[in-house]
Amino acid sequence: MSTQLISAREGIITEQMRIVAKKECRTPESIMNEVAAGTIVIPANINHSQITPIGIGKSLYTKINANIGNSTMSSCPKEELKKLHTALKYGADTAMDLSTGANINEIRGTIIANSPAPIGTVPVYEALSRVEKSEDLNDELILDVIKGQAEQGVDYMTIHAGLLIAHVPMAKKRMLRIVSRGGSILAKWMQFHQRENLFYTNFDKILEICKQHDVTLSLGDGLRPGCLADASDEAQFAELKVLGELVVRCREAGVQVMVEGPGHVPFNEIEMNMKEEEKMCHGAPFYILGPIVIDCAPGYDHITSAIGATMGAFHGAAMLCYVTPKEHLGLPNAEDVRNGVIAYKIAAHAADVALKKPGARKRDDEISQARAKFDWEKQFDLSLDPERARSMRAEALAETNSEEQAKEGETGNYCTMCGPDFCSMRISSEL
Amino acid sequence: MSTQLISAREGIITEQMRIVAKKECRTPESIMNEVAAGTIVIPANINHSQITPIGIGKSLYTKINANIGNSTMSSCPKEELKKLHTALKYGADTAMDLSTGANINEIRGTIIANSPAPIGTVPVYEALSRVEKSEDLNDELILDVIKGQAEQGVDYMTIHAGLLIAHVPMAKKRMLRIVSRGGSILAKWMQFHQRENLFYTNFDKILEICKQHDVTLSLGDGLRPGCLADASDEAQFAELKVLGELVVRCREAGVQVMVEGPGHVPFNEIEMNMKEEEKMCHGAPFYILGPIVIDCAPGYDHITSAIGATMGAFHGAAMLCYVTPKEHLGLPNAEDVRNGVIAYKIAAHAADVALKKPGARKRDDEISQARAKFDWEKQFDLSLDPERARSMRAEALAETNSEEQAKEGETGNYCTMCGPDFCSMRISSEL
């Protein structure tokens, strides 16, 4: 019974650390040292046999997560598997199964069995699905759910243990109160029972289970702001302080830990948020949701949040949880997953390039060289979404004035944006 | 014969300044003072009778421009008018007609007559369309084109007068040389004739025409980088230095002026680029294209560039030229225009919120309040793209498990993302 963290502290370089080192162009020793320090986590449950391990930490390439999973209103195992495959195809590094509807266990089992990427969950969802109402949650039930999921092979779990009963009045002052599903459920439970958060009071027992299967804890931000008006407020930072204390307890117990972050945050407050987390949570990898930088663009929140995510990663976030265009509107389908993943690949890559991570710009230089040579096929191959690039060029060619032009354009040294006579690439190649 | 700049210097508050002041919640005096200083421009050709003036300057709300116009390969006046209407409907503040194909004059005339927004052009395109090859461009022709367009009512013109013959060898060292259409045409012309850039040598005559019709000059960056590898290089800053000198000449002549900027720039270099422009160009409003922050996402360059545009506006850019998803692939159609405009409304608004411009966050707070109340209609009304938000919610409802649920969901206090039992907004409203 060991974890990556315990091994690292003992000076042992595990197979997982070696794989991460290779992927990240780093030495196994440097990975081991950062795992020991807690600035890198490698979420890899000992029961997730298909896993290809990845490392999450600000010194590594920025990772992205795709949330999938059904709701009580829609979707089935087959549809969720399709979303998983879409997410992995376009480059998600991890996926979270956030199912709250029917067949929770079956969907999770199918996803874990089919995923080489680490899988995360939010155990309170399954717990709630097993009772009539949120008031019925109890100590035994949540530990039973966590144990069951750990045995099933879940690599990391979001636990909302930092939202305490003392924080509830702070949340009530907000414009949007609590927008985290887990956070709202727990707040209601605490208020009803007038008892402290049961994830907090059972934290040592949770750590025991996590240690046994090397489940990485992802400390959930139940009080993340749900609109600009609530950003960076008293409630948010009161919870973050508790998360920092829990980070210490995780590490003492030999359990790997990362911390989740906001939410909706104005662009100018993102840097401060990243720095505060790093300080208050002792360098634990920061796993942020967006943040969304304006509230008024439903239908485009993959964009509003990719802007925030780039800024967040640039200032130290280690993993970005995607937001799809359906955010605030409905459950994403496979096409929404695709759009969300690509927007976040862009954000992660933009930050990695800006931070000059080793080799980060190679792909950009290669596609630019292909552009100079009018090598369309190579440009498509090097694109984050080759099908989209290909279909857009085809669409533009189909809209040309004549079939002859379209045919010529297909192989020609120009595109329909400028046409042959005004193609700057062509003209300047003649200089 | 006067211009906004000349009037402002004489202490005259024009009708245009009053309109701008009202829109921006500012005093007419402060607008006049900034126009006099050259930190705000109001592009409003005296012959563009339909215009509703706007101000462009970093102390004002961030503006966005949509490029429309045909190429030699596609589109017609009707299609371009459709693009104009789409751009204006979704909130473009100005539009540039970049037509290079058939009916250039007719298209421009139609666009000016139908646009309350300022219209910009790049006169070298028309000039080139009037000759066989770029070598045939001559002094008389370019002045004739500029005069013709000024008389027609063009509000601002991009003139690539800063790219000098001494810069051409610098550009040849680059991975993508020259990606500006105007820049590449002029470089070829200079190399062929071994003569200085004719827009530079004719600059005083150009100023004379602009002054006569109050055409604002937009000093084009013919050497903007076309890939990350070429960003912030010798060529780019050599041209910027010349643009700074031309700014002084414009102001001396009483001609309003703004400066155009890159292009492709890594996220970490954007702040420096904004500051350099402000310094080297004496506070002239900076009008930036993107910048695109990674090269490898064709099909999604509205997103790669909205990220850069937000950062640019946050650090002082006054106007953002949109990039559509078709960038690098083909001529945008009306749907691409829509996607480009919304991505840029997001960028501009995110920066305005971050810079705490007066009243900038009002819309966000209102939509968040509507969200708290499950007032779906109000949320849609306050969205940057109400139709998209509406259709996405409808799509999600159509994908629910049963018709009954879909019907309930339509009016219900939840969405299909979480469903009724897991709706954090609903749960936390019960606290």
Side-chain angles (χ1 to χ4, degrees):
Chain A
M1 180 171 103
S2 183
T3 66
Q4 298 293 325
L5 176 55
I6 294 169
S7 298
R9 280 194 198 137
E10 290 169 351
I12 298 167
I13 295 174
T14 62
E15 183 55 25
Q16 288 82 359
M17 294 174 204
R18 272 185 217 289
I19 295 169
V20 168
K22 202 166 172 189
K23 280 192 199 173
E24 305 273 347
C25 314
R26 290 266 295 262
T27 63
E29 287 73 21
S30 79
I31 300 297
M32 183 192 75
N33 289 337
E34 282 210 56
V35 172
T39 53
I40 288 179
V41 295
I42 302 178
N45 185 312
I46 55 168
N47 300 327
H48 186 185
S49 49
Q50 334 293 333
I51 202 170
T52 310
I54 60 151
I56 301 167
K58 82 169 196 176
S59 69
L60 305 178
Y61 299 122
T62 305
K63 304 300 183 296
I64 69 165
N65 170 69
N67 287 340
I68 56 173
N70 71 0
S71 74
T72 52
M73 294 181 76
S74 49
S75 195
C76 61
K78 209 178 130 193
E79 180 63 22
E80 294 315 314
L81 205 53
K82 189 175 156 197
K83 290 184 198 171
L84 173 71
H85 287 147
T86 303
L88 298 181
K89 175 179 168 185
Y90 291 105
D93 299 292
T94 78
M96 289 192 82
D97 174 18
L98 303 188
S99 291
T100 55
N103 313 311
I104 287 195
N105 252 295
E106 185 196 343
I107 291 179
R108 190 190 318 112
T110 308
I111 286 174
I112 293 170
N114 282 280
S115 177
I119 295 298
T121 59
V122 184
V124 74
Y125 299 167
E126 182 186 346
L128 187 60
S129 78
R130 290 215 222 153
V131 292
E132 278 271 315
K133 43 193 194 313
S134 54
E135 294 87 318
D136 300 340
L137 292 175
N138 61 66
D139 301 341
E140 204 173 296
L141 173 64
I142 63 154
L143 293 172
D144 189 57
V145 167
I146 292 171
K147 188 159 175 279
Q149 294 196 5
E151 284 167 359
Q152 210 179 11
V154 169
D155 301 293
Y156 66 95
M157 292 182 195
T158 296
I159 302 286
H160 298 92
L163 161 53
L164 304 185
I165 194 163
H167 303 152
V168 178
M170 300 175 194
K172 282 168 138 180
K173 289 184 216 158
R174 290 172 148 185
M175 191 182 280
L176 285 195
R177 298 191 160 198
I178 302 179
V179 297
S180 150
R181 296 197 288 205
S184 65
I185 293 163
L186 289 166
K188 201 175 167 192
W189 185 92
M190 288 190 280
Q191 183 165 290
F192 181 85
H193 293 286
Q194 283 299 306
R195 264 188 60 193
E196 192 50 278
N197 181 340
L198 74 176
F199 284 94
Y200 184 78
T201 53
N202 285 288
F203 202 66
D204 287 332
K205 288 178 188 156
I206 293 170
L207 289 176
E208 200 48 48
I209 301 169
C210 291
K211 185 179 171 187
Q212 212 164 355
H213 304 85
D214 201 358
V215 173
T216 299
L217 274 190
S218 186
L219 299 176
D221 55 335
L223 291 174
R224 68 169 175 270
C227 60
L228 298 182
D230 295 339
S232 313
D233 71 347
E234 183 193 15
Q236 185 192 323
F237 285 107
E239 181 184 40
L240 189 64
K241 187 164 174 285
V242 180
L243 298 185
E245 293 161 12
L246 295 175
V247 164
V248 176
R249 286 173 65 185
C250 289
R251 289 178 180 169
E252 281 171 359
V255 171
Q256 300 189 91
V257 62
M258 53 187 174
V259 173
E260 296 182 16
H264 289 235
V265 183
F267 193 69
N268 59 309
E269 292 177 14
I270 295 174
E271 180 178 355
M272 177 274 286
N273 269 275
M274 301 302 118
K275 296 201 163 143
E276 282 301 308
E277 185 276 343
E278 193 168 0
K279 201 169 59 186
M280 291 169 79
C281 298
H282 318 286
F286 205 14
Y287 168 29
I288 58 176
L289 174 62
I292 282 171
V293 294
I294 62 169
D295 298 336
C296 61
Y300 297 85
D301 278 327
H302 59 314
I303 301 179
T304 65
S305 66
I307 292 168
T310 306
M311 190 69 162
F314 183 61
H315 287 292
M319 183 153 78
L320 311 173
C321 182
Y322 85 171
V323 170
T324 79
K326 282 268 172 63
E327 187 75 17
H328 301 110
L329 297 168
L331 193 72
N333 59 26
E335 183 62 14
D336 298 315
V337 168
R338 175 188 184 180
N339 283 309
V341 167
I342 296 291
Y344 275 70
K345 288 300 282 184
I346 290 169
H349 186 59
D352 287 348
V353 165
L355 293 168
K356 301 182 183 171
K357 292 190 179 167
R361 225 188 59 196
K362 188 165 172 278
R363 188 174 188 162
D364 302 278
D365 290 346
E366 283 175 0
I367 200 170
S368 297
Q369 272 151 350
R371 219 163 248 159
K373 288 182 197 144
F374 297 96
D375 186 340
W376 290 100
E377 282 308 311
K378 195 159 185 191
Q379 284 182 67
F380 296 146
D381 289 347
L382 287 162
S383 297
L384 291 185
D385 185 347
E387 292 124 309
R388 177 73 43 96
R390 212 180 288 272
S391 71
M392 282 211 171
R393 179 158 150 81
E395 183 186 66
L397 283 169
E399 286 166 3
T400 53
N401 293 329
S402 74
E403 270 185 47
E404 204 180 314
Q405 279 186 328
K407 212 170 165 185
E408 196 192 310
E410 246 174 71
T411 50
N413 287 356
Y414 54 88
C415 75
T416 60
M417 189 163 187
C418 306
D421 301 334
F422 283 85
C423 175
S424 61
M425 306 283 288
R426 185 186 228 184
I427 298 166
S428 80
S429 74
E430 293 160 9
L431 283 176
Chain B
M1 180 171 104
S2 183
T3 65
Q4 297 294 325
L5 175 56
I6 294 169
S7 300
R9 282 193 198 138
E10 290 170 352
I12 299 167
I13 295 175
T14 63
E15 182 54 25
Q16 289 82 359
M17 294 175 205
R18 273 186 216 290
I19 294 169
V20 168
K22 200 165 173 191
K23 280 192 197 173
E24 305 272 347
C25 313
R26 291 266 294 263
T27 63
E29 287 73 21
S30 78
I31 300 297
M32 182 193 74
N33 288 337
E34 282 209 56
V35 172
T39 53
I40 287 178
V41 294
I42 302 177
N45 186 312
I46 54 168
N47 299 328
H48 185 184
S49 50
Q50 335 292 333
I51 202 170
T52 311
I54 60 151
I56 301 168
K58 82 169 196 175
S59 67
L60 306 178
Y61 299 122
T62 305
K63 304 300 182 295
I64 69 166
N65 169 69
N67 286 339
I68 57 174
N70 71 359
S71 74
T72 53
M73 295 181 75
S74 50
S75 196
C76 60
K78 208 179 129 193
E79 179 64 21
E80 294 315 315
L81 206 53
K82 189 176 156 194
K83 290 184 198 170
L84 173 72
H85 287 146
T86 303
L88 298 180
K89 174 180 169 185
Y90 291 106
D93 299 291
T94 78
M96 289 192 81
D97 174 17
L98 303 187
S99 292
T100 55
N103 313 311
I104 287 195
N105 254 294
E106 185 197 343
I107 291 179
R108 192 189 317 111
T110 309
I111 286 174
I112 293 169
N114 283 278
S115 177
I119 296 297
T121 60
V122 184
V124 75
Y125 299 166
E126 182 185 347
L128 188 58
S129 77
R130 289 217 222 153
V131 293
E132 278 270 315
K133 43 193 193 314
S134 53
E135 294 86 319
D136 300 340
L137 292 174
N138 61 66
D139 302 342
E140 204 173 296
L141 174 63
I142 64 154
L143 293 172
D144 190 58
V145 167
I146 292 170
K147 188 159 174 281
Q149 294 197 6
E151 285 168 357
Q152 210 178 10
V154 170
D155 303 291
Y156 66 97
M157 294 185 196
T158 296
I159 302 285
H160 298 93
L163 162 53
L164 304 185
I165 193 163
H167 302 152
V168 178
M170 299 175 194
K172 283 170 143 179
K173 289 184 217 159
R174 289 172 149 186
M175 189 181 283
L176 286 195
R177 298 190 160 198
I178 302 178
V179 297
S180 150
R181 297 198 288 205
S184 66
I185 292 161
L186 289 166
K188 201 177 168 191
W189 185 92
M190 289 190 279
Q191 183 164 289
F192 182 84
H193 293 286
Q194 283 299 307
R195 264 189 61 195
E196 193 49 279
N197 180 340
L198 74 176
F199 284 93
Y200 184 77
T201 54
N202 285 288
F203 201 67
D204 287 333
K205 289 178 188 155
I206 294 170
L207 288 176
E208 202 46 48
I209 301 169
C210 291
K211 186 180 170 187
Q212 214 163 352
H213 304 85
D214 201 359
V215 173
T216 299
L217 275 190
S218 186
L219 299 176
D221 55 336
L223 291 175
R224 68 170 174 267
C227 59
L228 298 182
D230 295 339
S232 313
D233 72 346
E234 185 193 14
Q236 184 193 325
F237 285 106
E239 181 185 40
L240 189 64
K241 188 165 173 287
V242 180
L243 298 186
E245 293 159 15
L246 296 175
V247 164
V248 175
R249 287 173 65 186
C250 289
R251 288 179 181 170
E252 280 170 0
V255 171
Q256 301 190 90
V257 62
M258 53 187 174
V259 174
E260 296 183 15
H264 288 236
V265 182
F267 192 70
N268 58 310
E269 291 177 15
I270 294 173
E271 180 177 355
M272 177 274 287
N273 268 275
M274 301 303 117
K275 297 203 162 141
E276 282 302 307
E277 185 275 343
E278 191 165 3
K279 201 168 58 186
M280 291 169 79
C281 297
H282 318 284
F286 204 15
Y287 167 28
I288 59 176
L289 175 62
I292 282 171
V293 294
I294 62 170
D295 298 336
C296 61
Y300 297 86
D301 278 326
H302 59 313
I303 300 179
T304 65
S305 66
I307 292 168
T310 306
M311 190 68 162
F314 183 60
H315 288 291
M319 182 153 78
L320 311 173
C321 182
Y322 86 170
V323 171
T324 79
K326 281 270 172 60
E327 187 75 17
H328 302 109
L329 297 169
L331 193 73
N333 58 27
E335 183 62 14
D336 298 315
V337 168
R338 174 188 184 180
N339 282 309
V341 167
I342 295 291
Y344 275 69
K345 287 301 282 184
I346 290 170
H349 186 58
D352 287 348
V353 165
L355 293 167
K356 300 181 183 173
K357 292 192 179 166
R361 224 186 62 195
K362 188 165 171 278
R363 187 174 188 163
D364 301 279
D365 291 347
E366 283 174 2
I367 199 171
S368 297
Q369 272 150 349
R371 219 163 247 158
K373 287 181 198 145
F374 297 96
D375 186 340
W376 290 99
E377 282 308 311
K378 194 157 187 193
Q379 284 182 67
F380 297 146
D381 288 348
L382 288 163
S383 299
L384 292 184
D385 184 349
E387 292 124 310
R388 178 72 43 96
R390 211 180 289 272
S391 71
M392 281 210 172
R393 179 158 150 82
E395 183 185 65
L397 284 169
E399 284 166 3
T400 53
N401 294 330
S402 73
E403 271 186 48
E404 204 180 314
Q405 279 185 329
K407 211 168 165 188
E408 197 192 309
E410 246 173 73
T411 49
N413 287 355
Y414 53 88
C415 75
T416 61
M417 189 164 187
C418 306
D421 301 334
F422 283 84
C423 175
S424 61
M425 306 282 288
R426 184 185 229 186
I427 297 167
S428 79
S429 74
E430 293 162 8
L431 283 177

